[in-house]
Every structure is written in structure tokens, then in C-alpha cells.
Amino acid sequence: MDWVNKMNDAISYIEDHITEDISYSEVARVACCSTYHFQRMFSYITNVPLSEYIRRRRLTLAAFELQNSSIKVIDLALKYNYDSPEAFTRAFHTLHGLTPTEARKAGTKLKAYPRISFQLTIKGVTELNYRIETLSGFSIVGIRERIRTQDAFHTVPQIWAGATEQGLLTKLWEMRMNDHALQGILGVCADGDFGENEEFDYIMAVVSDQTPPKEMTSLNFPPTMWAVFDMDGPPERLQEIWKRLYTEWVPTSAYELAHLPAIECYLPREEHRNELWVPIAKKGNR
């Protein structure tokens, strides 16, 4: 129930600051996880991005005020953190299908998105294969790209396709450490603030002790405990693991997510499987 309470505390923070410029890092702090993990966790659990949930809640509350007060549209726009009445009107129309002025009319149909509340639902009918690994510090070397969180599902495959065409994957493979636990080409969502600005750095890399070439970058990982999840089949199936990690494993395990990047490990095609490495800590130890 501790996980459920933390998530509900995060929602309470959002609701209490709904008319302010909400800090994603502060929301994540309340939930006791990184900003990046909180945004992904929220999206997987609710099927809506965190930014969209906040937008819907603001416009829901704005609609209530339009129908139950004489507040001016310009004042309402400023109250709910819009830069101008025009921006507010566009957003309002996109959600409700009419303008704020039209919403004042009696009998007008509007959309309402209630506050989210998290509850623990016991699942686990399908097995989830994982193991716990504790690794000493290591470094990865690879190609870094800055991408928007909301565009990740489209942008990341394009990065991989481009790297394949340019022969960068072959170059990375030749740089990897053969005796490390993390084998294969790695996809790492790495960022110092873990997506505070709804962006993050994506690194396509390998574990290596070599100095990165001019066009590449490196990232160091400290000694860390990892939960390693196996997934048979094509790389796309790793998204199933991400969802089950957030909705089934984290809420019921004895661990919490550590403030480090997770790693998607894409193994050689002939192995017909891939791995998700998630940095963790025992609950109460951070």
C-alpha cells in the first residue's frame, strides 16, 4: 500500500497546485522516484501522459467555473496558467468542442475528467521472469540524442534505423566489453533531471572501457542493484515489460526504483530475447 499512497500523494500535490506552474520534479519527489520514471509510470498506468492529465484537469475545472461564476475568460486563462486568452480558448475548444463563451450557456454539454485515484489491483496470472543483479561501476559509450518524451515511440526507432544505415551499430559492437553482464546494444534513457522539461537524452551504446570517439559520448554508472527482466520475441515486446514493471512488479515488490537510468539491452538476434535492466534499491534504504 506504500506505493499506492505515494502515487495518491503525487496526485494530491498536482491538484493542490493545479493553477500554478507545476514542477514535474517536485511531483516525482512526492512519489519518491525520478521525474523520468514518474512520467513513464503515470503514462503506462493511466494510458494518458502526465502533461495531458494536468491539461484535462485544468480545463475541467475551468469549465465548472465558467458555468458557475461570472469570471472573465482572460482571468480564467491566467488562473489556469495559459499565456493568453487565445491559447486558453484553443485548448478549451480542443477538449470540449466549443469556446469558453459558448460554455456559459445553460444546457451546454461539456466534458469532465475527474481526479485520478490509485488503487492496488492484484494481478500476476502471467509469470514475469526476472533476476536481481548487483554490478560494480561501469561505463557505456555510444551516440546521444535529445528527444521529446511524447515523441519517443516514433523518434527512437528512427535513431536505430539511422544508426544501422550509417554502420554505427557495427562500430559500437566492436567496442563492447565481452566479459560484462550487459551484453548487446543498449538503449539508455539518460538525463540529469530525468525529463523535467518533457525531454530526455537517449543513448544507443555498449558497455565499454574505451575512450569514446569524437562523435560519441560516455556515461558512468555507480555500483548498483538491478532488476533484470527477460522478454522473448522481438524488441517491441519490451514495452510489455515496461508496463508490467510499473503496474505489477513495483507496487508489490520489496524494491523501489533508484534514481538512475534504466537500460534496454538488445541481445543478438539469434538469442530471440532481450532484457530490461532497471536500477533498484531496497525500500527504505535511500
Side-chain angles (χ1 to χ4, degrees), residues 22-286:
I22 296 174
S23 167
Y24 286 11
S25 60
E26 184 61 21
V27 176
R29 186 195 66 77
V30 173
C32 297
C33 66
S34 71
T35 311
Y36 170 75
H37 271 304
F38 183 81
Q39 288 190 82
R40 290 196 65 149
M41 187 186 309
F42 188 93
S43 296
Y44 275 117
I45 295 172
T46 65
N47 292 316
V48 62
L50 177 60
S51 58
E52 177 64 13
Y53 171 75
I54 293 172
R55 186 182 75 91
R56 290 179 180 180
R57 287 294 297 142
R58 284 173 172 164
L59 293 173
T60 293
L61 295 174
F64 288 154
E65 289 201 47
L66 282 168
Q67 292 201 320
N68 293 281
S69 74
S70 58
I71 188 171
K72 295 179 180 179
V73 172
I74 187 173
D75 294 332
L76 202 59
L78 293 173
K79 177 177 180 178
Y80 286 101
N81 217 33
Y82 282 87
D83 294 332
S84 67
E86 293 76 19
F88 172 71
T89 297
R90 285 195 299 271
F92 193 93
H93 188 276
T94 299
L95 187 73
H96 294 286
L98 40 76
T99 67
T101 301
E102 293 170 331
R104 289 192 186 277
K105 298 177 182 177
T108 301
K109 291 183 179 180
L110 296 166
K111 295 180 181 178
Y113 290 90
R115 167 178 172 158
I116 284 177
S117 178
F118 292 96
Q119 296 180 341
L120 181 60
T121 301
I122 303 300
K123 297 182 179 180
V125 175
T126 304
E127 64 184 17
L128 187 59
N129 296 318
Y130 77 95
R131 66 184 188 274
I132 302 297
E133 296 263 8
T134 300
L135 302 184
S136 57
F138 62 91
S139 298
I140 63 171
V141 172
I143 308 149
R144 183 188 295 260
E145 296 281 351
R146 187 73 172 174
I147 63 177
R148 288 175 57 82
T149 303
Q150 66 182 28
D151 300 329
F153 289 117
H154 303 291
T155 306
V156 171
Q158 293 173 0
I159 294 173
W160 279 81
T164 302
E165 293 174 2
Q166 298 170 33
L168 292 174
L169 291 184
T170 300
K171 189 172 183 178
L172 284 173
W173 190 256
E174 293 171 349
M175 296 175 63
R176 82 190 197 285
M177 292 178 61
N178 294 322
D179 58 349
H180 196 271
L182 270 161
Q183 288 297 307
I185 305 294
L186 314 177
V188 183
C189 299
D191 199 335
D193 59 12
F194 291 94
E196 168 67 10
N197 297 313
E198 299 188 22
E199 296 180 334
F200 64 91
D201 284 348
Y202 184 81
I203 305 178
M204 183 185 306
V206 292
V207 175
S208 177
D209 56 3
Q210 298 184 30
T211 301
K214 185 177 179 180
E215 71 276 13
M216 296 188 184
T217 188
S218 64
L219 181 66
N220 299 321
F221 283 81
T224 307
M225 184 186 301
W226 300 83
V228 186
F229 299 85
D230 284 319
M231 172 57 78
D232 294 331
E236 294 77 14
R237 293 199 66 201
L238 280 177
Q239 297 306 314
E240 298 176 30
I241 293 296
W242 275 110
K243 184 166 187 176
R244 295 190 65 192
L245 166 73
Y246 291 137
T247 60
E248 298 178 35
W249 194 83
V250 171
T252 58
S253 76
Y255 303 95
E256 57 189 3
L257 301 173
H259 287 231
L260 288 170
I263 298 174
E264 294 178 345
C265 183
Y266 299 99
L267 298 168
R269 186 172 299 177
E270 58 269 22
E271 293 203 25
H272 303 291
R273 69 182 186 89
N274 299 286
E275 297 175 336
L276 175 62
W277 289 63
V278 181
I280 57 172
K282 290 186 177 180
K283 289 181 178 178
N285 282 5
R286 286 198 291 115

